Amino acid sequence: MIAQGMGRGVFRAALALIAGMALMPGGAQAQTAAASPVVPPAAAQGGERFSIQIPKGWKQASRNASGPIETVSYVPDGQSAERWQDMLTIQMVKTPAGAQALPPDQLYAQSQSSYEQACDGVKLGTLQSGRSNGYPSAFWVLGCSKVKSAGYGETAFFRTIQGTAALYMAQWAWRVAPFDTTQGPPLLEDQQKEALTTLQSFQVCDPASRQHPCQPGQ
């Protein structure tokens, strides 16, 4: 069953909307992220940084920066940025001093809108919000029953952290066979566990802040 609260095509469009850009979308046992390498911290303004554990056997597929937006994607060995079934994408959207990004409910609504435009049907999960290392954080799941411009479906787990210097977003996406939205996407429990473990490792910290301290290795 899909985790409650329910790519690059649909996901990139969702991130573009979230970031304020007007773009439109185009069986083995899971390995644990706990034993994986940590991405070298990516520094935003003021020393704030993020870290995340990448699953074993995954590699960087793409990395680009455009203005205030930086994006990096990872796929398993044997897959690529063009031909993938599983993809982890991290995006950092820098915000001017004193500015705040959209609150989680609006980010959630905008990603839903992006999916609705790109997909024949959408499976929408519940927005879950809280705090992570003192920062506002949110999690949700979206399923695309079939991408209108392609013959497959997509499912994605989203996690956002609103830092002081940037909005940080991590997402794990799968390309799957088209599915009925009343049933949900065909994902194995191990696939979901691996994604959730990885997204739980996604953290933001600031070595100069007592409210958002960095742990060894961050």
Side-chain angles (χ1 to χ4, degrees):
M1 297 294 292
I2 196 73
Q4 198 170 28
M6 201 56 152
R8 204 154 87 189
V10 179
F11 171 60
R12 285 224 186 250
L15 283 188
L17 275 172
I18 289 170
M21 307 292 285
L23 300 181
M24 293 300 296
Q29 188 101 357
Q31 299 178 32
T32 62
S36 317
V38 175
V39 172
Q45 302 169 23
E48 190 174 82
R49 62 196 63 179
F50 74 80
S51 61
I52 188 169
Q53 292 178 320
I54 303 301
K56 287 182 178 179
W58 285 54
K59 62 185 180 183
Q60 183 175 306
S62 65
R63 190 180 197 108
N64 59 73
S66 178
I69 304 173
E70 296 183 24
T71 306
V72 59
S73 296
Y74 296 86
V75 297
D77 288 338
Q79 299 184 33
S80 68
E82 294 73 31
R83 299 179 64 85
W84 62 272
Q85 296 296 319
D86 316 83
M87 180 175 283
L88 173 65
T89 304
I90 302 123
Q91 188 169 76
M92 179 176 71
V93 183
K94 296 179 182 178
T95 55
Q100 287 294 315
L102 292 176
D105 59 338
Q106 291 188 39
L107 297 175
Y108 174 69
Q110 289 196 356
S111 61
Q112 178 186 353
S113 175
S114 176
Y115 267 59
E116 288 173 342
Q117 292 179 57
C119 306
D120 286 337
V122 175
K123 179 75 172 180
L124 179 65
T126 305
L127 173 68
Q128 302 174 38
S129 58
R131 301 191 77 81
S132 173
N133 196 29
Y135 295 109
S137 178
F139 173 84
W140 66 89
V141 182
L142 284 172
C144 173
S145 64
K146 180 179 176 296
V147 179
K148 291 178 180 178
S149 61
Y152 50 79
E154 288 189 20
T155 300
F157 288 7
F158 293 80
R159 185 166 183 225
T160 68
I161 300 175
Q162 176 58 66
T164 303
L167 172 66
Y168 305 86
M169 294 173 281
Q171 182 257 15
W172 187 299
W174 298 267
R175 282 179 176 164
V176 298
F179 59 89
D180 187 330
T181 55
T182 63
Q183 301 296 319
L187 291 179
L188 300 175
E189 184 176 353
D190 282 343
Q191 291 178 291
Q192 298 176 62
K193 285 182 177 178
E194 182 182 34
L196 290 171
T197 299
T198 300
L199 294 182
Q200 286 169 355
S201 77
F202 185 49
Q203 299 291 330
V204 176
C205 70
D206 186 339
S209 171
R210 293 183 178 179
Q211 289 74 35
H212 317 291
C214 292
Q215 302 302 316
Q218 285 186 311

